[in-house]
Amino acid sequence: MREPFDLWGSRGWYNQEVVGESQYFTTLQKIIGVPTLEWTEVTTLAHLVPEPTNRYDGNAVQVLIGGQIVGYLPREDAARYVTVLANLCSHGWLPQVPAQVRGALVEDYDFDERGRERTFTRFVGSVYLDLNEPHLLVPANRPPAAEHVMLPRGGAIHVTGEENYLNTLVPLIGPAGETWIHVTLHEVSEQTARTTKTLVEVRVDGQPAGRLTPKMSGELLPAIRYFADRGLATTGRAILKGNALKADITLYVARAGELSQEFLATNGTSSRSVAAPTIPGQVAAAQEASPVQEGAATAAGSWRFNPPPGWPAPPPGWVPPPGWTPPPHLPPAPHGWQWWVAAQ
């Protein structure tokens, strides 16, 4: 049984189309309920599961709602996403994203055996996903091991002083030059010649990575103190951008005044959130690798890494570690190479 994993980077708009829904209108109609001539929209969650046994496309990705298939990612999109999705599934996770199902009854017509026109109504529907780019679906690092609370997503907050911590940040920057990361937020004192300032320090994997301005620190400190009093570290999501020479962190967290009473009450006791997975082979995804995986009921470990022609055989069970890139001394992989194949 896989653990559901919310893919990161949802933006609140449903921009990713799903194809083949016409084969599953019966399922869509059950999701919509009783259809009418007016379009109905239902927001729900969809699971994305690779289907390498698909005879038309080895990179096929099923879209399932309530355990029932409702369509597929378009062929070109499936080739871009399948690496990340297959790796998630291989680590015991079930990738899920917000989905919007739209449906209505439409008037149509045909002709009877005498050539007379007749009109009728039929159901039509479609599915769209709130799905970000492949390199922004999974954070580059794991959440803290300590008991913590993840702040809800909020507006952008820029971090300062990242240039002093490149040794910590550069290893997390992927080939796309940007990635999501977990950060923790801590109250610290900064001594100046005349005053002492209380600021928020941003840490990545326990190491300092920058600080917030006094103004923005004031927006978050009440929440940090509230959770600290309850034995919880304050964690947030951030975008890390840059290269070997420069790094920038932007937090996307709700300010203290934006937290609802329900959120504070729900997260006021010590509880460790589900750990985010570390996904090997994300670099391969950026290089248009095409891993495959068995269907939704396949257990983790049911496929293996597939080295390109001219590469030595890897040790049994080997998977690329985080940040892995193909060794430069080995022949380049053919375009669209399938990095993962079903284990025999």
Side-chain angles (χ1 to χ4, degrees):
M1 187 70 178
R2 293 197 182 101
E3 184 77 25
F5 175 75
D6 293 318
L7 296 174
W8 284 38
S10 294
R11 293 166 287 186
W13 56 289
Y14 300 86
N15 60 310
Q16 175 62 56
E17 68 172 331
V18 174
V19 298
E21 306 104 306
S22 62
Q23 303 296 316
Y24 308 100
F25 277 171
T26 301
T27 300
L28 294 184
Q29 188 168 341
K30 292 178 181 178
I31 297 171
I32 291 293
V34 179
T36 68
L37 294 175
E38 298 292 329
W39 282 89
T40 300
E41 296 182 351
V42 174
T43 301
T44 183
L45 287 174
H47 295 119
L48 305 181
V49 179
E51 185 191 8
T53 56
N54 187 298
R55 61 176 177 171
Y56 302 107
D57 181 13
N59 294 325
V61 175
Q62 296 178 346
V63 180
L64 302 103
I65 296 177
Q68 300 296 312
I69 186 170
V70 296
Y72 288 81
L73 291 186
R75 178 182 293 265
E76 291 184 0
D77 294 326
R80 297 193 303 122
Y81 284 99
V82 70
T83 297
V84 175
L85 300 174
N87 276 301
L88 276 167
C89 292
S90 72
H91 285 72
W93 300 95
L94 183 60
Q96 64 183 22
V97 294
Q100 189 174 80
V101 180
R102 305 169 186 171
L105 294 176
V106 297
E107 294 185 346
D108 205 344
Y109 71 94
D110 62 5
F111 298 91
D112 63 18
E113 65 277 2
R114 296 184 179 181
R116 294 175 299 188
E117 181 179 307
R118 61 180 182 181
T119 60
F120 59 95
T121 60
R122 62 184 179 88
F123 176 83
V124 296
S126 60
V127 181
Y128 288 85
L129 308 175
D130 182 358
L131 185 64
N132 211 324
E133 290 299 309
H135 66 278
L136 292 174
L137 296 182
V138 178
N141 63 339
R142 297 181 67 84
E147 307 291 343
H148 62 276
V149 61
M150 176 73 77
L151 292 179
R153 179 142 178 197
I157 300 176
H158 295 288
V159 178
T160 64
E162 305 99 312
E163 66 275 5
N164 299 315
Y165 308 103
L166 292 181
N167 288 342
T168 297
L169 299 177
V170 168
L172 295 175
I173 301 175
E178 64 175 348
T179 186
W180 283 102
I181 57 173
H182 289 95
V183 299
T184 53
L185 307 175
H186 305 265
E187 180 177 352
V188 297
S189 295
E190 184 178 275
Q191 186 71 44
T192 65
R194 297 183 178 180
T195 61
T196 299
K197 297 180 181 179
T198 302
L199 302 175
V200 172
E201 182 173 76
V202 178
R203 298 177 189 172
V204 176
D205 297 335
Q207 300 299 313
R211 292 186 176 184
L212 303 186
T213 64
K215 181 178 184 303
M216 293 314 306
S217 293
E219 297 279 356
L220 294 179
L221 279 171
I224 295 171
R225 291 166 178 164
Y226 175 86
F227 294 119
D229 289 343
R230 289 155 179 78
L232 295 169
T234 302
T235 306
R237 301 184 182 198
I239 285 284
L240 171 63
K241 294 184 178 182
N243 52 37
L245 304 177
K246 182 175 173 58
D248 294 299
I249 300 175
T250 303
L251 299 179
Y252 288 91
V253 296
R255 281 71 164 171
E258 298 170 343
L259 300 177
S260 67
Q261 289 290 352
E262 179 183 4
F263 178 83
L264 294 173
T266 303
N267 294 278
T269 58
S270 179
S271 62
R272 185 169 298 167
S273 65
V274 175
T278 298
I279 305 304
Q282 287 181 322
V283 173
Q287 296 171 339
E288 298 184 85
S290 301
V292 295
Q293 175 215 350
E294 294 185 14
T298 304
S302 58
W303 55 89
R304 60 177 177 80
F305 182 79
N306 182 37
W311 285 37
W318 182 84
V319 295
W324 176 84
T325 57
H329 65 279
L330 293 176
H335 178 75
W337 179 253
Q338 292 185 334
W339 294 87
W340 298 87
V341 296
Q344 299 299 321

